[in-house]
Amino acid sequence: MRTNPHHHLTEPLTGLRNLGILAHVDAGKTTVTERILYLTGATYKRGEVHEGTTVTDFDSQERDRGITIFAAVVSCAWDGHRINLIDTPGHVDFSDEVERSLRVLDGAVAVFDAVAGVEPQSESVWRRADRHGVPRIAFVNKLDRAGADLDTAVESIRERLHVTPLVVQLPIGREDGFTGVVDLLTMRSLVWAGDSMAEGPVPGSLLEEARRRRRLLEETVAELHPTALEEFCAEPEISAPTLTAALRDLTRTGEGVVVLCGSAYRDRGIEPLLDAIVAYLPSPLDVPPVRGLQDGVEVARAADPEAPFAALVVKVNATATGRLTYLRVYSGTARKGDTVLDAGAGRTERIGRILRVRAERHTEVERAVAGDIVAVVGLKAARPGATLCAPAAPLLLEPPVVADPVVSVAVEARRSTDAERLATALARLVEEDPSLAVRTDSETGQTVLSGMGELHLEVAVEKIRRDRGLDIGVGRPQVALRETVVRGVSGLLYRHVKQDGGAGQYAHVVLDVRPLDGDGATGFAFGSTVVGGRVPREYVRAVEAGCRDALADGPLGGHPVTGLRVTLTDGATHAKDSSELAFRTAGRFALREALRACAMVLLEPVVEVTATVPEDAVGGVLGDLAARRGRVSGSAARTGPGGMVVITATVPLAELFGYATRLRSRTQGRGTFTTRPAGYAPAPSGAAG
Ligand SMILES: Nc1nc2c(ncn2[C@@H]2O[C@H](COP(=O)(O)OP(=O)(O)OP(=O)(O)O)[C@@H](O)[C@H]2O)c(=O)[nH]1
Ligand SMILES: [Mg+2]
């Protein structure tokens, strides 16, 4: 069933799948990707994560650490379709990579561990995919492991993800004896041995169970899909073609999720997964047209090769030898040599070469058409999230959301002569990864690197060490604190008046400041209740901008301020001397003064920790979490896979530095944990900052 990799596809857009592989750490995303590349003929050898030989974990740190850090794009072909595949990282510190990937995907495969079921990070990425409206199918992996069970994994999908699982396979054999599946649509068996897959009739011993499950699938589909229901009522059974069509519809609306299973590591279950990707997940033509701003007005652009060009920058790889920019083309066609506009930056760039990203080598193509994901050489400055478009038809696509960095470290070059090289290296790193930020501390003069977590920063610093051979000193990690309002003020009047010759400035504003509703709520809301046009609309907007300026440093310690609502209640203008600038300045100083009058409190980031530990270590682990100011959640400890106990707790991020080492030693290396952001909580007085 292997297709010829050199077969040249001049496929229509309907044959294209932009697909992401999503899951919790270690569920097997990279291994699934690797098997897909092998089966589609994109590679000639199966790579292994633990041997550091996979295509998508190509970075030396990924290979050393055995985890995916950077989302990687790779293209392959299956059954006359082309698949652009993005293997994403599972670790929470790199979830911005996932967010950026989701922005440009049309569909995804969510991979689950058949022993652990739905894990916290799979739940988080599932929610993210919901927000982006990305249709998914589920692959329950690692069916070969001791304790693996498809049915329990499916139940956890139903319970934790609140979706209706549509299970289309029945496993043949358990754990070590897992050899194949019964395809419940065709009612045929698929059995794998070594490199080959054999199709045959359903084994007699499984026939009854297979029929029962087929019936269950029909019932579930009939409940959700009108055409299927009609056939279900009129005929003895729903035919395979009707089922397939219904499953495709339900996948696209998200009303149900098709569940397949297998063992990527043992090469079992990947062919049907590829068939399902092609059958159920949408092409670029099946998803709604992209929306963007044209002269400030929202417009839709269809995935039409003849329309004006518009693309979103997904990723940038800036290496010493050049800059590779990954684009998702949403409309139009780009050709080698074209000039395109970076709509946000207002700068034009030239497309040097266009590459299709393949496993073994990249191949040059003449053009990139709507729907495709390609890599481009020659762009000098476009950053991830930028829109590139035809200069004659500017369009600004919404950039992916970038999370606020929560952890920072001071970095310095150990040799003072390296200071400039370090600054350049940091600047380049930030260009590639918008979830990193660099600033100079105004008090200490130190260079401070901020990111999504301890591992994120460790990887960033190590990358500079490796790529540039720089000797770098790194300070202790610090969490990013916030300030919030606990008791507001009302009727704060601020007058900004300068009328001593020349162009004057005149702005009066009156503000109310209140905490945002909800404990630990973050964000900023602004409104105006000014009546009778006492403050014209453009000045109201200027006041809002001024307030946003003031949020950058709060009165307690210069931390960003969040979780408040500001209302402009009154103001006054001067016929000649009022301007947007005057009102922006007034807004800034007014809020700054108001915040000094408010009761404020420091907030620190907290995370939800899920630790899986051996039973005899539970007491010690709970005690340790308490000492770290952790609050163990309701159903404190539940029994997880393999007799391990799963503990969930909310812990301040500041207390978690170095926790990996501690947990390992407390559990003789058997305990593992993952975290996910759980917002902010009031910090104890005297919190580090
Ligand atoms: N037993 C078994 N092990 C598997 C299977 N699939 C993957 N693994 C192993 O599980 C480990 C993690 O696999 P990866 O493919 O790196 O998982 P991942 O989801 O890409 O991990 P991150 O990218 O770090 O989130 C590796 O040691 C794999 O060899 C499987 O089907 N069965
Ligand atoms: Mg991986």
Side-chain angles (χ1 to χ4, degrees):
M1 248 169 117
R2 292 188 53 163
T3 53
N4 180 355
H6 303 295
H7 173 66
H8 193 72
L9 292 162
T10 47
E11 73 281 336
L13 271 187
T14 48
L16 183 58
R17 297 289 178 275
N18 291 312
L19 174 79
I21 312 278
L22 308 172
H24 191 84
V25 175
D26 266 2
K29 298 174 290 295
T30 301
T31 309
V32 167
T33 303
E34 198 59 35
R35 297 312 190 263
I36 288 180
L37 294 178
Y38 178 71
L39 275 180
T40 57
T43 54
Y44 297 100
K45 261 198 338 268
R46 281 187 286 283
E48 300 298 351
V49 175
H50 59 94
E51 289 167 3
T53 51
T54 67
V55 171
T56 48
D57 286 355
F58 56 82
D59 181 85
S60 67
Q61 285 198 69
E62 294 181 311
R63 296 189 161 187
D64 291 353
R65 294 172 192 263
I67 59 167
T68 303
I69 296 169
F70 309 104
V73 187
V74 61
S75 188
C76 60
W78 180 255
D79 193 19
H81 292 67
R82 191 150 52 73
I83 302 174
N84 292 324
L85 199 64
I86 302 187
D87 175 25
T88 65
H91 195 286
V92 61
D93 278 20
F94 309 110
S95 51
D96 251 45
E97 284 280 293
V98 181
E99 182 70 26
R100 283 195 291 280
S101 305
L102 277 168
R103 180 69 175 71
V104 299
L105 293 172
D106 299 321
V109 173
V111 180
F112 300 95
D113 179 324
V115 181
V118 176
E119 295 168 276
Q121 192 60 16
S122 357
E123 207 178 316
S124 301
V125 289
W126 189 271
R127 300 277 164 255
R128 273 179 197 275
D130 279 343
R131 283 200 292 279
H132 287 273
V134 172
R136 274 143 282 170
I137 54 183
F139 183 70
V140 177
N141 187 35
K142 304 198 182 183
L143 229 57
D144 60 298
R145 276 184 68 192
D149 183 50
L150 177 63
D151 294 348
T152 9
V154 167
E155 272 328 294
S156 80
I157 290 176
R158 187 196 309 281
E159 276 164 29
R160 303 200 58 174
L161 305 179
H162 312 290
V163 289
T164 307
L166 304 163
V167 185
V168 297
Q169 295 173 337
L170 168 67
I172 302 176
R174 289 186 68 84
E175 301 179 348
D176 212 26
F178 167 72
T179 53
V181 297
V182 174
D183 178 336
L184 298 177
L185 268 79
T186 57
M187 290 302 272
R188 301 277 290 169
S189 75
L190 300 172
V191 174
W192 287 271
D195 235 358
S196 65
M197 179 180 83
E199 199 189 320
V202 179
S205 58
L206 286 178
L207 198 54
E208 200 180 322
E209 183 60 14
R211 284 201 184 119
R212 195 181 69 77
R213 291 190 181 220
R214 161 66 180 253
R215 193 67 188 166
L216 193 66
L217 176 65
E218 291 182 23
E219 280 168 16
T220 317
V221 170
E223 260 173 45
L224 296 170
H225 197 279
T227 321
L229 178 63
E230 251 172 57
E231 197 169 311
F232 187 75
C233 296
E235 311 287 334
E237 65 162 30
I238 308 180
S239 69
T242 307
L243 268 181
T244 305
L247 290 175
R248 181 190 307 126
D249 292 343
L250 296 174
T251 302
R252 293 183 188 176
T253 59
E255 286 168 279
V257 58
V258 170
V259 181
L260 295 97
C261 63
S263 161
Y265 185 65
R266 305 243 180 128
D267 307 292
R268 295 175 183 170
I270 303 298
E271 292 93 338
L273 176 62
L274 277 161
D275 289 339
I277 288 166
V278 164
Y280 305 132
L281 291 176
S283 80
L285 283 183
D286 301 321
V287 299
V290 74
R291 307 188 73 84
L293 292 179
Q294 190 171 8
D295 298 324
V297 180
E298 194 177 286
V299 296
R301 280 266 182 93
D304 174 4
E306 305 302 325
F309 177 72
L312 193 77
V313 175
V314 189
K315 260 189 91 64
V316 173
N317 272 346
T319 63
T321 53
R323 208 164 182 274
L324 202 58
T325 308
Y326 292 83
L327 305 181
R328 158 79 197 239
V329 185
Y330 281 99
S331 73
T333 303
R335 289 178 187 77
K336 189 164 123 171
D338 278 359
T339 296
V340 293
L341 174 71
D342 181 335
R347 189 174 40 216
T348 55
E349 296 242 37
R350 203 170 152 276
I351 293 182
R353 292 187 300 141
I354 303 174
L355 305 175
R356 168 140 342 281
V357 187
R358 297 216 192 271
E360 316 267 292
R361 60 185 157 50
H362 299 345
T363 49
E364 189 158 347
V365 292
E366 284 303 307
R367 53 203 187 103
V369 295
D372 210 350
I373 296 177
V374 294
V376 166
V377 182
L379 301 181
K380 294 199 171 64
R383 296 194 52 189
T387 306
L388 298 177
C389 58
L395 183 76
L396 188 61
L397 302 172
E398 193 184 329
V401 178
V402 181
D404 281 336
V406 285
V407 179
S408 51
V409 287
V411 289
E412 62 170 8
R414 288 212 204 272
R415 285 184 302 267
S416 56
T417 46
D418 282 343
E420 208 157 301
R421 283 178 65 208
L422 176 61
T424 314
L426 287 169
R428 185 168 283 175
L429 214 57
V430 173
E431 249 179 53
E432 288 184 30
D433 182 350
S435 57
L436 285 172
V438 181
R439 64 184 170 84
T440 308
D441 188 297
S442 54
E443 274 170 35
T444 61
Q446 285 174 315
T447 302
V448 178
L449 178 67
S450 320
M452 305 302 296
E454 210 182 353
L455 182 63
H456 189 204
L457 296 179
E458 193 183 304
V459 164
V461 169
E462 184 62 25
K463 186 166 162 56
I464 296 183
R465 285 201 185 108
R466 290 190 185 190
D467 292 1
R468 316 252 166 166
L470 281 173
D471 193 4
I472 310 173
V474 180
R476 262 167 38 90
Q478 311 262 313
V479 295
L481 299 174
R482 295 279 181 275
E483 298 181 18
T484 195
V485 174
V486 281
R487 204 183 53 248
V489 290
S490 57
L492 184 123
L493 168 66
Y494 189 87
R495 297 189 182 89
H496 175 64
V497 180
K498 262 191 180 169
Q499 292 176 307
D500 41 8
Q505 292 194 36
Y506 185 101
H508 285 194
V509 297
V510 182
L511 299 182
D512 282 0
V513 179
R514 297 256 162 282
L516 269 186
D517 291 341
D519 249 8
T522 54
F524 171 64
F526 182 88
S528 163
T529 56
V530 178
V531 287
R534 287 175 56 82
V535 182
R537 203 137 36 102
E538 63 269 26
Y539 293 168
V540 173
R541 273 201 296 270
V543 174
E544 177 175 357
C547 288
R548 285 189 191 277
D549 296 340
L551 296 177
D553 64 296
L556 294 181
H559 310 288
V561 181
T562 186
L564 69 166
R565 171 185 301 281
V566 173
T567 311
L568 179 68
T569 56
D570 200 4
T573 58
H574 180 273
K576 225 170 67 237
D577 291 341
S578 281
S579 63
E580 284 182 29
L581 180 65
F583 272 89
R584 183 165 181 159
T585 311
R588 177 154 53 101
F589 285 114
L591 184 57
R592 187 186 288 182
E593 200 171 304
L595 291 176
R596 285 203 207 108
C598 291
M600 305 285 296
V601 63
L602 273 186
L603 295 175
E604 62 175 345
V606 290
V607 297
E608 184 192 282
V609 174
T610 307
T612 307
V613 304
E615 203 163 351
D616 54 3
V618 171
V621 171
L622 284 175
D624 188 42
L625 285 172
R628 292 170 188 268
R629 296 190 282 130
R631 280 186 300 121
V632 175
S633 326
S635 57
R638 57 188 174 86
T639 309
M644 300 284 270
V645 177
V646 181
I647 296 170
T648 313
T650 310
V651 188
L653 183 60
E655 302 284 349
L656 277 183
F657 298 137
Y659 186 59
T661 320
R662 171 63 72 92
L663 185 69
R664 233 175 281 131
S665 69
R666 275 207 180 272
T667 60
Q668 283 82 46
R670 294 177 57 211
T672 57
F673 80 105
T674 57
T675 64
R676 60 172 170 174
Y680 286 85
S685 47

